[in-house]
Amino acid sequence: MAESVDSPDSSDVDAASANGRDPESHSTVRNVVLVVLDTARATSTGPKTTPNLNRLAADGTHFDNAFATAPWTLPSHASMFTGTYPSEHGTHGGHTYLDDELRTLPESFADSGYETIGVSNNTWITEEFGFDRGFDDLRKGWQYIQSDADMGAVVRGEDLREKLQATRNRLFDGNPLVNAANILYSEALQPAGDDGADRSTTWITNWLDDRDDSRPFFLFCNFIEPHVEYDPPREYAERFLPDGASVDEALAIRQDPRAYDCEDYGLSERDFALLRGLYRAELAYVDEQLGRLRAALEDAGEWEDTLFVVCGDHGEHIGDHGFFGHQYNLYDTLINVPLVCHGGPFTDGGQREDLVQLLDLPATLLETAGIDDPELRAQWSSRSFHPASDDDPRDAVFAEYVAPQPSIDRLEARFDELPDRVYEYDRRLRAVRTREYKYVRGDDGYDRLHDVETDPLERDDIAAREPEQVRAMQRRLEERFDPLAEAGESGEVEMREGTKERLADLGYL
């Protein structure tokens, strides 16, 4: 087990108590680091692909059955930050702003006396969408010059048309010269094979070296490299491509998930084999950055006093179930994510097979840090998986897909005519998963049931053969959520007034 940190001095104890920290708790950590490997699916991590993550797992605690609440970045991070499900926090493809009335994990750490630092390489996780609350500094990895004017909409553009439209809309927000420089950097000059991870790790290393703040810190970092487009450094790609394949051949494959899903072009089995090689290479590259982060914490003398948590925010389809990307469904390929914790009670914790969710992170991190936050606790559905927690273990996990992203309207604007199957995706989905069964139901009557012990790849739908089990799983969903029929035909969740006002300001309503 890791050594306990020295007892805080009396001034630390007084400050901690005043802000909700309990210095007499069973916590043995001073700092908390949360690293998100964007688009990392659990089944693609391992000794060859992610050796540093495996080393961390061997020294800490590895969770085999960790699940996201949603299959894409925005709602998944909202759940991690608030401890709530998508239908509770209301942040999804149709409503993209995190409600100001919701308490967030960084706010809790900030109010408990922590220095709070965020480094985001995903353009959804910014102040534009409400994720800056509680951070002393939230840096944007796609900006060469840090600026309040966010050109992330250009980066998020699905095609050249959307990128040009975003440029026209945003260029004169703030300093147009700075904005132009940031657009030029993100779209043309950013180093090949890196989407911000190297600069982020270097910045964090320098920050650790230079900080003279005596406070503990909460550090959040999102690495986005495993996200499309897969463009790993060539030396990594060469290690993971099939025999006889060249890096140039792999990189020449069109990577446009929305166009593929809309049948605008096709991909062969070999194409997908090459894309899977590039994807694993991206994971290997970002795993190297993970090793650098650990080394930086060790060199700064902070490692033994830090809870270090690494997870994926969602997974990825690379030909699985006929999809490319991470939209439109709730297969385990998208919601089963890696989760490893190291530090304090999680050191030498071994391999755990209990069901946990990413929305359990707030309860777990705060308990491990010795923080009690009644306001955050009052809103959350979070359960601590701290080894000494009094919270009941989960016998089921849940996930939701509230609205397509991009919307069907955006797809029609881009492709004119859409295949019939794409219109089927314009629905709200909910999933419940136990150790034995996985059930998914849509607000259009769609459903499927799988025995995940014998059918872990979810290929055999047994809903028609096991109606009693279907009814039992439906009851589980309705115990957790309101019936899908109450969501309305649009699939929208009921928003808080603060969210409605903000969305109106942004032009969404």
Side-chain angles (χ1 to χ4, degrees), residues 6 12 33-35 51 63 103 180 188 191 200 213 258 302 305 333 361 373 386 431 438 442 451 467 488 500 508:
D6 293 337
D12 288 339
V33 175
L34 173 59
V35 180
F63 293 84
R103 177 85 163 163
S200 297
D213 199 318
R258 299 295 75 77
E302 300 285 3
D305 298 341
T333 332
L361 287 171
D373 188 330
H386 185 293
K438 166 84 169 286
D451 182 334
K500 291 179 181 178
Y508 288 104

Side-chain angles (χ1 to χ4, degrees), residues 141-178:
W142 58 95
Q143 287 192 346
Y144 185 74
I145 304 170
Q146 292 297 305
S147 169
D148 290 339
D150 189 358
M151 297 298 104
V154 180
V155 181
R156 287 192 303 276
E158 291 278 332
D159 58 7
L160 181 60
R161 178 186 60 82
E162 288 193 356
K163 288 179 180 293
L164 290 174
Q165 182 64 47
T167 298
R168 287 193 294 268
N169 292 342
R170 303 292 181 95
L171 185 61
F172 294 97
D173 290 351
N175 187 324
L177 293 178
V178 171

Side-chain angles (χ1 to χ4, degrees), residues 207-220:
W207 168 75
L208 285 168
D209 288 341
D210 296 341
R211 73 186 297 268
D212 57 6
D213 199 318
S214 62
R215 293 178 295 167
F217 60 81
F218 169 70
L219 170 65
F220 163 79

Side-chain angles (χ1 to χ4, degrees), residues 105-228:
L105 185 64
E107 286 179 310
S108 185
F109 279 110
D111 290 346
S112 299
Y114 281 65
E115 183 180 8
T116 53
I117 301 295
V119 180
S120 172
N121 288 289
N122 189 307
T123 61
W124 286 109
I125 310 306
T126 69
E127 66 271 20
E128 181 180 2
F129 301 107
F131 285 90
D132 61 323
R133 298 201 306 277
F135 284 112
D136 296 326
D137 187 11
L138 178 59
R139 295 182 61 83
K140 308 176 187 74
W142 58 95
Q143 287 192 346
Y144 185 74
I145 304 170
Q146 292 297 305
S147 169
D148 290 339
D150 189 358
M151 297 298 104
V154 180
V155 181
R156 287 192 303 276
E158 291 278 332
D159 58 7
L160 181 60
R161 178 186 60 82
E162 288 193 356
K163 288 179 180 293
L164 290 174
Q165 182 64 47
T167 298
R168 287 193 294 268
N169 292 342
R170 303 292 181 95
L171 185 61
F172 294 97
D173 290 351
N175 187 324
L177 293 178
V178 171
N179 294 342
N182 282 331
I183 292 171
L184 184 63
Y185 174 75
S186 65
E187 297 302 310
L189 300 180
Q190 194 163 347
D194 184 278
D195 290 318
D198 179 69
R199 289 179 72 225
S200 297
T201 307
T202 298
W203 185 88
I204 292 170
T205 300
N206 293 337
W207 168 75
L208 285 168
D209 288 341
D210 296 341
R211 73 186 297 268
D212 57 6
D213 199 318
S214 62
R215 293 178 295 167
F217 60 81
F218 169 70
L219 170 65
F220 163 79
C221 181
N222 172 292
F223 290 130
I224 200 173
E225 272 70 13
H227 197 287
V228 164

Side-chain angles (χ1 to χ4, degrees), residues 245-261:
S246 72
V247 177
D248 289 337
E249 178 190 5
L251 292 177
I253 297 170
R254 183 180 177 186
Q255 296 187 44
D256 191 338
R258 299 295 75 77
Y260 174 80
D261 291 340

